Amino acid sequence: GAVVSQHPSRVICKSGTSVKIECRSLDFQATTMFWYRQFPKKSLMLMATSNEGSKATYEQGVEKDKFLINHASLTLSTLTVTSAHPEDSSFYICSAGQGGDTGELFFGEGSRLTVL
Amino acid sequence: QQQVKQSPQSLIVQKGGISIINCAYENTAFDYFPWYQQFPGKGPALLIAIRPDVSEKKEGRFTISFNKSAKQFSLHIMDSQPGDSATYFCAASSLGGKLIFGQGTELSVKP
């Protein structure tokens, strides 16, 4: 299957700083990428849909000024957690699809953010 | 209406047994039903998926059963192995739409 790469896999930062997480589709072009957040032993919660060349669509309750999403190219989307606080500590996962009729989404390995 | 309800929350099965996880949905516009396997600290990996035009799909030891009228679908893992121990998520979406996940089932296969 197609490969989606996330970087970094783990990041620790101080409260008040900003952290950027990258999501790349390595062998296919993705016009749409999705960002999820997952708490320990919980399900994946969709945060936003990232569209190449346009603004991201955020789910209800997700602060768009806190979680900045940029989809600058067909293979790269970034999530920036601005002014991070300990409650932003979580596992962030991106996914991307190849489009077409399959609907299949490929997920990155996730990025573990710890805010001290 | 966007929810996907998954049960059980946790499941313990003996090696060689059958693991069964169930999901139910409400939105009749959903037309894609995948199952994902997730190991700790990793992203979810697609296991098997089905569309509503078939009632069953089998890939190796994994089978999805789909009941369109009841709006339910289930994952069966035959001959369960300790290496199958992971968290399993069902999901649903309409074509090109958002993927909605179930709550997850933590499967433990005892040797």
Side-chain angles (χ1 to χ4, degrees):
Chain A
V3 178
V4 175
S5 174
Q6 261 184 261
H7 178 80
S9 57
R10 290 178 179 272
V11 56
I12 301 172
C13 70
K14 292 183 178 180
S15 189
T17 61
S18 294
V19 174
K20 180 184 284 188
I21 300 170
E22 292 186 347
C23 178
R24 294 181 185 275
S25 56
L26 295 188
D27 49 3
F28 67 99
Q29 293 183 330
T31 55
T32 303
M33 292 183 173
F34 302 90
W35 285 96
Y36 292 83
R37 183 174 182 176
Q38 186 178 32
F39 291 103
K41 296 190 179 294
K42 295 294 184 183
S43 188
L44 286 80
M45 286 175 35
L46 181 64
M47 299 175 64
T49 303
S50 169
N51 301 297
E52 188 267 336
S54 64
K55 290 184 179 180
T57 304
Y58 290 82
E59 294 300 300
Q60 191 173 10
V62 177
E63 300 176 61
K64 57 183 179 183
D65 294 331
K66 162 68 106 174
F67 300 101
L68 300 179
I69 291 172
N70 185 288
H71 196 149
S73 75
L74 287 172
T75 58
L76 174 64
S77 176
T78 60
L79 167 67
T80 301
V81 183
T82 63
S83 185
H85 288 91
E87 57 266 30
D88 298 326
S89 298
S90 191
F91 195 50
Y92 293 90
I93 310 171
C94 71
S95 71
Q98 292 179 287
D101 293 337
T102 65
E104 183 174 351
L105 287 181
F106 302 94
F107 283 79
E109 287 289 278
S111 298
R112 171 76 59 195
L113 170 64
T114 303
V115 185
L116 302 176
Chain B
Q1 225 199 7
Q2 286 288 83
Q3 279 190 336
V4 178
K5 295 183 180 179
Q6 183 173 345
S7 63
Q9 188 174 356
S10 63
L11 181 61
I12 299 175
V13 173
Q14 291 295 320
K15 179 182 176 182
I18 302 174
S19 304
I20 301 174
I21 306 171
N22 301 298
C23 282
Y25 64 99
E26 296 178 358
N27 188 345
T28 55
F30 287 150
D31 62 0
Y32 176 64
F33 303 90
W35 284 90
Y36 287 87
Q37 179 188 57
Q38 186 180 31
F39 292 103
K42 301 293 184 181
L46 179 66
L47 205 56
I48 187 173
I50 198 169
R51 292 208 178 271
D53 52 345
V54 295
S55 60
E56 186 175 282
K57 183 175 181 180
K58 183 176 181 179
E59 289 183 2
R61 296 186 294 111
F62 301 95
T63 300
I64 298 179
S65 296
F66 185 82
N67 186 327
K68 188 174 181 178
S69 60
K71 291 185 283 187
Q72 295 176 347
F73 58 110
S74 60
L75 175 69
H76 295 226
I77 306 175
M78 312 299 285
D79 187 26
S80 299
Q81 299 296 313
D84 297 330
S85 297
T87 301
Y88 292 81
F89 292 97
C90 64
S93 74
S94 51
L95 184 61
K98 298 179 290 189
L99 197 58
I100 307 299
F101 281 85
Q103 293 81 0
T105 297
E106 193 170 350
L107 171 65
S108 178
V109 181
K110 299 298 184 185

